[in-house]
Structures are given as C-alpha cells and as structure tokens.
Amino acid sequence: MTATDSFSSTPEGFRSGFVSFVGRPNTGKSTLTNALVGQKIAITANQPETTRHPIRGIIHRDNAQIIVVDTPGLHRPRTLLGERLNEVVKDTYADMDLIGLTIPADEKIGPGDRWILENVRKVAPTTPILGIVTKVDKVSRDQVAAQLMAVHDLLGESSEIVPVSAVTGEQRDVLIEVITSLLPEGPKFYPDDHITDDDTETRIAELVREAALSGLKDELPHSVAVEVDEIIPNEDRPGVMDVHVVIYVERPGQKEILIGKGGRRIGRIIHNARPQICELLGTNVYLDLRIKVLKNWQSDPKQLGRLGF
C-alpha cells in the first residue's frame, strides 16, 4: 500500500504503520480494535472465530497514523473455511510492522498462547511483538501484575508489555503511545476522515451476522454466513432504503433455529441489526432478511469462493 499525493505531506518524525492483534479466541481483539479506533468497525460475539476477514481500522494522531488490522484468530482448522482463514491470517502477519499478542488478565497462559506465538514467529520472524494484557478491569491489581510477569517470561526480556481495558478505556492512550513508538517513520496511508477501508455492504453483512450470532450455541455460529443482496431506495417511502440481506446456514434444522418459534428469533435479529444499519447509512432502513440453506458451505470450495473466502 502506498500513500497518495493528496495526504502524503506529513510532519517530520511522523510515524505510521500496520499493527495486528493476535491471540486465542475471545481474548478481546475485536473489542480492543473498536476501542482504539473510537468507533465500532469489528463485530464482537461470545463465540470463537467470530472475525472472518481482516478489518482495518485507522487511528489518527497528530504524530502518527496507526492502521490496526483485526484478523481471524489463528487456530487449528476443522474445515476448508478454517484452512483458508489461517492462510489469510498468516499472509497478513507477514505484512505487519508490529504484532500485538493479546492475553487476557483473567486466564492463565496455556499451550494455545504458545502455539500462536510459535506460528507468528514462523511467518513473521523479524516483526517486533508487543505484549498486551487485556481485560484488566476483570481482576485485581495483584492478578494484573502476575499476568504481566508471565507474559514477560513468555515473550522475553526485551519485549514491551502493556495492560489495558477496552471496556473502561484504562491504559488506552498509553497503548496507543507505545504502539506509535514501535512503528517506523513514514507517511499517512489514509485521509484523515477514514476510520476503516471496509465497504458498506461488508459492514452491513457483519452487523447482521453479529445480531444473528447472539444467543447461539454449539456449532451453529460457524455455519452462519451473511451476504447483502442489494441496497435500493424504497419506491413508496421517500428517504427509506430497502436493504435485502441473505443469511446462509448449512442445514434445514439450523434455518428453523434462526427463524425461531413464531419468527421470534429472526424478528430479534432484524430489531438488533436495523438501528446500526440506519446509523451506518445515515437514513431510515427497511431490513428484509431471508434465510437460505447452502449445504456444507464451509467445506465446499465453490460456495466458499462465492461467499468471498
């Protein structure tokens, strides 16, 4: 990626670069990305492997421009989708200026953390790694201190480590300062009014998927994919946009679960997603939601390609 002439003029000593957060599922990577950017650009859910494509969020400072890349979590894949996501993640890591290893304050370091660190160092052997202890609002100061020491032992003496809470904002500015100090000097990559490079349809699809994942358990969340069919003005209601969205699942039983008894669950999905889509588009929205069965799409190369994986 190269800076364009329109915003390449930067002050002396200006720093810029790309940083990616890595860590086990549910270590707070997407929540932290949103907190640092100052706006919701990445969906969050309780289920692992919620993030499915790299999302770039831009942090603007007088002395720096930080591009935070929220990626799917590196994991041991069970499907062709999982294999493809891992390849995307590894390619992304190789292009980063800095990698932040996220480890929650309320969980002990385990084999999964070491496996991720080992794989990151394989694909990006020269990229500096910053330790980030997340969710410090959930534990005592003594527990935070103990976790900082454990992460220090994991990464080595020369590594920087920052405790942070994305929920309360504690240490947020400190983390941004440390990230800035570890980035190279360089130009702006994006105009000052950009907060993400995701297109509108992708963001809408993600908001619907986030609403659909709420309350789901077991394997069903992994079987949910969302695609925006079209966004068109409503012919009968001026100022209203019709947003047509399709949710794909792998089996008829999953479709029944998402529709819910008397259509209650699909109604709740629309109720939760629509206000956020209205805010994103800046206009009133009629959200038309359909659920279709796309048999075993997670392991079907043709269907994966159709859905953009």
Side-chain angles (χ1 to χ4, degrees):
M1 189 178 296
T2 58
T4 64
D5 293 340
S6 61
F7 47 87
S8 60
S9 179
T10 53
E12 187 176 349
F14 192 88
R15 293 179 180 272
S16 63
F18 294 77
V19 56
S20 184
F21 299 140
V22 307
R24 287 182 286 108
N26 295 336
T27 55
K29 299 182 293 294
S30 296
T31 305
L32 182 59
T33 296
N34 291 337
L36 294 180
V37 173
Q39 190 174 132
K40 181 177 178 176
I41 61 165
I43 68 169
T44 58
N46 292 327
Q47 295 88 354
E49 300 165 37
T50 298
T51 303
R52 283 192 178 152
H53 71 280
I55 301 165
R56 292 180 178 85
I58 301 101
I59 303 168
H60 301 278
R61 289 292 184 271
D62 290 339
N63 64 334
Q65 186 178 83
I66 304 167
I67 299 92
V68 180
V69 186
D70 185 34
T71 65
L74 196 62
H75 63 289
R76 293 181 174 88
R78 297 166 296 173
T79 63
L80 181 57
L81 172 64
E83 292 175 11
R84 290 190 176 180
L85 293 183
N86 266 1
E87 290 307 311
V88 168
V89 171
K90 290 177 180 179
D91 289 343
T92 301
Y93 292 168
D95 292 333
M96 293 297 106
D97 297 293
L98 176 67
I99 290 174
L101 177 65
T102 59
I103 295 179
D106 60 344
E107 297 178 27
K108 288 187 176 181
I109 293 173
D113 300 297
R114 295 185 179 90
W115 182 84
I116 287 171
L117 179 59
E118 179 183 335
N119 278 271
V120 167
R121 283 178 167 159
K122 282 180 183 177
V123 297
T126 61
T127 304
I129 297 176
L130 166 66
I132 303 173
V133 175
T134 59
K135 306 184 182 183
V136 298
D137 55 293
K138 289 191 170 185
V139 299
S140 67
R141 296 289 181 185
D142 287 346
Q143 287 173 285
V144 172
Q147 192 72 315
L148 289 172
M149 290 299 297
V151 176
H152 183 271
D153 291 341
L154 177 68
L155 294 180
E157 294 183 3
S158 60
S159 295
E160 295 252 22
I161 304 165
V162 180
V164 66
S165 169
V167 174
T168 67
E170 182 182 356
Q171 292 278 111
R172 173 182 174 271
D173 290 338
V174 171
L175 178 58
I176 290 175
E177 288 175 9
V178 172
I179 289 173
T180 298
S181 72
L182 295 172
L183 292 179
E185 291 190 10
K188 292 182 180 181
F189 292 93
Y190 292 92
D192 291 339
D193 59 350
H194 273 46
I195 61 158
T196 182
D197 64 355
D198 255 1
D199 62 80
T200 300
E201 288 194 2
T202 299
R203 296 184 72 184
I204 290 173
E206 287 290 89
L207 290 172
V208 171
R209 188 163 67 92
E210 180 181 50
L213 293 180
S214 178
L216 294 181
K217 298 177 181 179
D218 303 321
E219 292 301 309
L220 181 50
H222 302 293
S223 299
V224 174
V226 180
E227 185 176 48
V228 174
D229 194 13
E230 61 179 353
I231 304 172
I232 55 175
N234 189 299
E235 294 181 357
D236 301 320
R237 300 166 64 194
V240 176
M241 297 297 290
D242 288 347
V243 178
H244 299 276
V245 177
V246 181
I247 296 179
Y248 294 105
V249 292
E250 294 185 299
R251 296 188 296 277
Q254 296 172 339
K255 179 178 178 178
E256 293 175 10
I257 291 172
L258 280 185
I259 292 173
K261 187 176 181 180
R264 288 177 188 169
R265 181 179 286 277
I266 192 171
R268 188 162 68 245
I269 294 170
I270 293 171
H271 175 78
N272 291 340
R274 184 181 159 276
Q276 297 184 80
I277 296 172
C278 289
E279 183 178 355
L280 178 62
L281 296 181
T283 186
N284 197 6
V285 163
Y286 169 73
L287 178 57
D288 171 55
L289 201 56
R290 288 165 291 152
I291 302 176
K292 294 184 178 181
V293 176
L294 204 60
K295 188 177 179 182
N296 297 327
W297 67 264
Q298 290 187 85
S299 298
D300 186 329
K302 184 178 178 181
Q303 301 297 356
L304 284 172
R306 172 187 166 183
L307 293 170
F309 296 109

Short mmCIF file of all heavy atoms in Angstrom, two decimals, residues 37 52 208 258 283 291 305:
data_model
loop_
_atom_site.label_atom_id
_atom_site.label_comp_id
_atom_site.label_asym_id
_atom_site.label_seq_id
_atom_site.Cartn_x
_atom_site.Cartn_y
_atom_site.Cartn_z
N VAL A 37 -9.85 2.57 17.84
CA VAL A 37 -10.31 3.38 16.70
C VAL A 37 -11.32 4.43 17.15
O VAL A 37 -11.42 5.51 16.58
CB VAL A 37 -10.90 2.48 15.60
CG1 VAL A 37 -11.53 3.29 14.48
CG2 VAL A 37 -9.81 1.56 15.03
N ARG A 52 -13.91 -13.00 10.42
CA ARG A 52 -13.67 -13.87 9.26
C ARG A 52 -12.86 -13.22 8.15
O ARG A 52 -12.52 -13.88 7.18
CB ARG A 52 -15.01 -14.37 8.70
CG ARG A 52 -15.62 -15.48 9.53
CD ARG A 52 -16.75 -16.13 8.82
NE ARG A 52 -17.32 -17.23 9.59
CZ ARG A 52 -18.57 -17.62 9.50
NH1 ARG A 52 -19.39 -17.00 8.66
NH2 ARG A 52 -19.02 -18.61 10.22
N VAL A 208 -25.41 -7.74 10.60
CA VAL A 208 -26.47 -8.75 10.61
C VAL A 208 -25.95 -10.06 11.20
O VAL A 208 -26.63 -10.71 12.00
CB VAL A 208 -27.02 -8.98 9.19
CG1 VAL A 208 -27.98 -10.18 9.16
CG2 VAL A 208 -27.74 -7.73 8.69
N LEU A 258 -32.79 -20.34 13.51
CA LEU A 258 -32.63 -18.91 13.30
C LEU A 258 -33.98 -18.20 13.12
O LEU A 258 -34.12 -17.04 13.50
CB LEU A 258 -31.74 -18.64 12.09
CG LEU A 258 -30.23 -18.76 12.31
CD1 LEU A 258 -29.48 -18.35 11.05
CD2 LEU A 258 -29.77 -17.89 13.48
N THR A 283 -29.64 6.99 7.20
CA THR A 283 -31.02 7.13 6.72
C THR A 283 -31.88 6.02 7.31
O THR A 283 -31.36 5.06 7.88
CB THR A 283 -31.07 7.05 5.18
OG1 THR A 283 -32.40 7.35 4.73
CG2 THR A 283 -30.68 5.68 4.67
N ILE A 291 -33.47 -16.36 5.03
CA ILE A 291 -32.54 -17.40 5.46
C ILE A 291 -32.59 -18.55 4.45
O ILE A 291 -33.67 -19.06 4.14
CB ILE A 291 -32.87 -17.92 6.87
CG1 ILE A 291 -32.85 -16.76 7.87
CG2 ILE A 291 -31.88 -19.01 7.29
CD1 ILE A 291 -33.28 -17.15 9.27
N GLY A 305 -15.87 -19.74 -2.43
CA GLY A 305 -15.49 -18.69 -3.38
C GLY A 305 -16.62 -17.72 -3.63
O GLY A 305 -16.41 -16.50 -3.70
#
